[in-house]
Amino acid sequence: MLYVTGDTHGTFDRFKEKNVKKLKHNDTIIVCGDFGFIWNGSYSERATLRKLSELKFNVAFVDGCHENFDLLYSYPTKTWNGGKAHIISDNIIHLMRGQVYTIDGLKVFTFGGGHSDDIEIRKETNSWYPQEEPTPEEVLEGVNSLIAHDYKVDYIITHEPPSSIKYCLGLETSHRLECDAFFEQIKKNCTFKHWFCGKCHENKFIPPKFSVLFDEVVSLTDVIKHAK
């Protein structure tokens, strides 16, 4: 089965929760960005990654705003379930931008990245990476991936919400990203069952088929119940 949750920020507690303990061998949980377990390469971080690698299910994630992209991009890029991915370990997978994966028989389009609201502070502490913001090349790859699938997927998972969803949530929309217009195009023209995103640190359903997630863990086979 396939599950999705919001930002983890390098905290293992999410994987101790009751709903996560239900996951079985070959199940997959996808984190909607700000994974945070690949940040400084410290001993404690490596120990936590070992704990994640010992889980019986797959831990996949799109990148968010708070990642060490230099370290993340140092991992090998391989094909995983039909799309390009960074393979951290046998069961820890970074789902790259603009890819379509077939997971548990479901087509999942992913597009990480975004804009740090705390960019000035992070620049001062040398913890900001320009790779957090999507590029035109990544958007083009996303377009080509969706064209190859006739703009039909089952689920969309991003870190940033589409601009129109940010407006519904009362979030700041003045900073423009390369992917903003693309996301609105997907929202209008792509056939999909549900769109999940993170970043907002809240759990909220936005009709008809959008959800922002933080600490909630959702089974995609139960997504209609979740939407209600």
Side-chain angles (χ1 to χ4, degrees):
M1 292 179 67
L2 184 56
Y3 298 78
V4 63
T5 189
D7 312 8
T8 48
H9 289 287
T11 301
F12 193 79
D13 290 352
R14 189 75 49 83
F15 299 96
K16 298 178 182 177
E17 292 185 3
K18 183 178 179 180
N19 284 348
V20 177
K21 289 182 177 179
K22 295 178 182 177
L23 273 68
K24 301 174 182 177
H25 182 67
N26 287 332
D27 285 346
T28 300
I29 184 169
I30 300 178
V31 178
C32 295
D34 284 355
F35 183 61
F37 289 97
I38 301 168
W39 183 251
N40 57 21
S42 66
Y43 175 82
S44 61
E45 182 173 274
R46 294 196 303 272
T48 304
L49 282 172
R50 281 195 298 271
K51 287 172 64 178
L52 285 173
S53 69
E54 291 167 358
L55 296 173
K56 58 189 175 183
F57 49 86
N58 294 319
V59 178
F61 65 98
V62 300
D63 52 271
C65 306
H66 296 83
E67 318 281 3
N68 182 332
F69 285 93
D70 290 344
L71 188 55
L72 180 59
Y73 288 173
S74 71
Y75 285 89
T77 301
K78 298 183 179 180
T79 299
W80 184 82
N81 286 7
K84 292 191 296 185
H86 288 120
I87 306 300
I88 313 304
S89 71
D90 287 346
N91 73 319
I92 306 174
I93 305 101
H94 170 221
L95 307 177
M96 296 174 70
R97 300 172 187 174
Q99 306 299 305
V100 175
Y101 305 92
T102 301
I103 308 173
D104 200 30
L106 300 169
K107 289 185 179 181
V108 180
F109 175 76
T110 63
F111 204 100
H115 172 69
S116 296
D117 296 327
D118 57 351
I119 185 171
E120 296 305 326
I121 295 173
R122 293 183 60 213
K123 279 185 174 181
E124 290 175 6
T125 57
N126 295 318
S127 59
W128 179 79
Y129 297 85
Q131 302 99 311
E132 74 173 31
E133 297 212 4
T135 65
E137 292 77 17
E138 290 167 337
V139 169
L140 180 60
E141 181 150 10
V143 170
N144 289 334
S145 293
L146 288 174
I147 288 173
H149 290 270
D150 297 320
Y151 264 74
K152 295 177 182 178
V153 295
D154 292 297
Y155 296 99
I156 296 172
I157 298 180
T158 62
H159 181 60
E160 289 273 352
S163 296
S164 52
I165 300 302
K166 291 181 187 178
Y167 181 80
C168 292
L169 294 168
L171 300 176
E172 174 61 49
T173 59
S174 60
H175 184 87
R176 302 298 296 173
L177 291 166
E178 288 287 346
C179 61
D180 284 344
F182 176 45
F183 281 7
E184 292 302 319
Q185 179 190 28
I186 296 173
K187 183 172 174 285
K188 180 179 179 181
N189 298 322
C190 188
T191 299
F192 61 94
K193 295 176 182 176
H194 209 84
W195 186 323
F196 292 95
C197 50
K199 187 177 181 178
C200 302
H201 289 199
E202 64 175 306
N203 304 299
K204 191 178 180 87
F205 168 62
I206 302 98
K209 50 185 178 179
F210 298 86
S211 292
V212 294
L213 292 178
F214 181 36
D215 54 3
E216 189 172 0
V217 178
V218 178
S219 165
L220 295 196
T221 60
D222 204 24
V223 68
I224 301 302
K225 180 180 177 181
H226 167 77
K228 293 177 181 178

